[in-house]
Amino acid sequence: MKNKKLTEYQHLFGLIGFPISHSFSKKYFSNKFLNEGINNCLYELFPLRDISELPYLIEDFPNLTGLNVTLPYKELVIPYLDEIEESVKEIGAVNTIKIESGKLTGYNTDAFGFEESLFQFLNENQIKSINKALVLGTGGASKAVKYVLKKLEISYFMVSRDAEKGDFTYDDLTANLIAECQLIINTTPLGMAPKMDSFPKLKYDLLDSNHFLYDLVYNPEKTVFLAKGEKQGCSIINGLPMLYLQAEKAWELWNSIVDKK
Ligand SMILES: NC(=O)c1ccc[n+]([C@@H]2O[C@H](COP(=O)([O-])OP(=O)(O)OC[C@H]3O[C@@H](n4cnc5c(N)ncnc54)[C@H](OP(=O)(O)O)[C@@H]3O)[C@@H](O)[C@H]2O)c1
C-alpha cells in the first residue's frame, strides 16, 4: 500500500504554494484519512514555482479532487478557476479549490474559520458590545477577517506599517482610539515561530479587561501579543480554532464529491 502511486488513489488532495516548508494541512488530512479509515484518499504537497503550472498539475493527476492554496497564490490562482464562490468575489482570495468533473471552483474557508472561531470566543452580547475593531496588518489573511467583520456589522480600522495601506499606522494609535476599539485582531506574522519574540507595536499598557485580543498566529499557542494582553486583563484567543475550522470546512466541500463517486 505504501508504494502506491499518486495516480492510483481514487481521490488526490494537496496544497499548492511556494515555497512549502511546513504544512499543517498535510499532517491534518493524512491523520484524518488514517484515523477514519479513508483509504481511497491521499494528501500531498505540490510546490509550484509559478501558478501557470496549475493546469499541468490538473492534467497530470486526473484524480485531483481538492486543493488548498497558500502563499503566494491565494489571489493569483483566481484567473485559473472556472467558478468562484460569492464570498471570494468580495474577499479576493482563495484558499480551497474543489475539482469536480474537471471544473475548478474556488472558496475561502478562512472566512468561515474566522467567523466560527469568533463565535466560540465571544458570546452574542459581547459581539454586540463591540464598538469597533482594529485589524493589524493588511495582507492576505486580513481580507477574510475584513469580510467577516463587515458581515457581522462590526466596523473596523486597518493598521499598517505603511500609511498608504491602512487607516492608521502603529504610531497613530492614540489612547482614545485604543479605548474605542475593544476587539484587536493580529493578522501579521509577528510572534510566529521561529521569531517568537516579535509582536505588533502597540501601547499594551492602554489595554484593559474590556479588550478582546484575537491572534491569527497559532504557533506558539500564546504569542507575546496575547501574553501582553492577558497581563492587562484582556480576553484572548489564538489562531488554532480557526485553523481547524477552515480545514474541516474544506473537507466538507470535498467530501460531497468523495461520497458521490
Ligand atoms: N489561524 C489560521 O487559520 C490562519 C489563516 C491564515 C493566516 N494565518 C496566519 O496569519 C498570519 C498572516 O498571514 P498572511 O497570509 O496574511 O501573511 P502576509 O500576507 O505575508 O502578511 C500579513 C501582513 O502583516 C504585515 N506584516 C508583515 N510583516 C510584518 C512585520 N515585520 N511587522 C509588522 N507587520 C508586518 C503586513 O501588513 P502591512 O504591510 O500593512 O503592515 C502584511 O501584509 C500568518 O502568521 C499566518 O500563519 C492564520
Side-chain angles (χ1 to χ4, degrees), residues 113-121 183-187 190-192 212-227 230 234-245:
F114 177 67
E115 183 173 358
E116 286 301 308
S117 60
L118 199 61
F119 291 140
Q120 290 178 5
F121 181 35
L183 176 61
I184 304 180
I185 305 154
N186 177 39
T187 77
L190 291 170
M192 190 168 72
F212 303 102
L213 300 198
Y214 189 129
D215 201 336
L216 261 66
V217 173
Y218 48 84
N219 180 22
E221 289 190 19
K222 198 183 284 176
T223 56
V224 175
F225 167 69
L226 292 183
E230 193 177 43
C234 309
S235 305
I236 60 169
I237 184 174
N238 67 22
L240 271 177
M242 173 175 168
L243 190 67
Y244 281 94
L245 284 159

Side-chain angles (χ1 to χ4, degrees), residues 63-240:
N63 55 342
L64 260 179
T65 305
L67 289 168
N68 287 122
V69 185
T70 189
L71 291 175
Y73 301 135
K74 286 189 176 186
E75 291 152 27
L76 294 170
V77 76
I78 294 177
Y80 291 85
L81 307 175
D82 300 295
E83 243 178 56
I84 49 174
E85 187 196 34
E86 222 27 57
S87 68
V88 169
K89 291 182 189 156
E90 203 171 321
I91 301 169
V94 161
N95 77 328
T96 302
I97 301 171
K98 181 165 94 171
I99 308 165
E100 194 169 20
S101 312
K103 192 179 110 188
L104 277 67
T105 309
Y107 301 85
N108 190 306
T109 69
D110 279 342
F112 171 85
F114 177 67
E115 183 173 358
E116 286 301 308
S117 60
L118 199 61
F119 291 140
Q120 290 178 5
F121 181 35
L122 306 173
N123 64 37
E124 214 176 307
N125 287 336
Q126 287 171 318
I127 290 188
K128 277 191 197 142
S129 77
I130 292 168
N131 196 11
K132 282 204 169 65
L134 274 186
V135 180
L136 314 180
T138 61
S142 78
K143 293 182 170 190
V145 167
K146 280 197 301 186
Y147 170 80
V148 172
L149 293 177
K150 214 165 145 190
K151 187 174 159 195
L152 300 177
E153 298 179 343
I154 299 175
S155 54
Y156 57 83
F157 295 120
M158 301 301 293
V159 185
S160 173
R161 291 165 299 177
D162 180 345
E164 304 275 292
K165 287 200 276 175
D167 301 302
F168 297 103
T169 65
Y170 293 88
D171 291 334
D172 295 335
L173 300 175
T174 61
N176 280 345
L177 193 65
I178 295 283
E180 196 190 355
C181 300
Q182 296 97 328
L183 176 61
I184 304 180
I185 305 154
N186 177 39
T187 77
T188 78
L190 291 170
M192 190 168 72
K195 293 185 181 164
M196 293 190 292
D197 54 355
S198 59
F199 53 88
K201 200 175 138 202
L202 291 180
K203 295 188 183 88
Y204 289 88
D205 55 344
L206 296 174
L207 301 177
D208 59 32
S209 59
N210 292 314
H211 286 95
F212 303 102
L213 300 198
Y214 189 129
D215 201 336
L216 261 66
V217 173
Y218 48 84
N219 180 22
E221 289 190 19
K222 198 183 284 176
T223 56
V224 175
F225 167 69
L226 292 183
K228 281 177 174 282
E230 193 177 43
K231 208 171 142 204
Q232 295 295 122
C234 309
S235 305
I236 60 169
I237 184 174
N238 67 22
L240 271 177

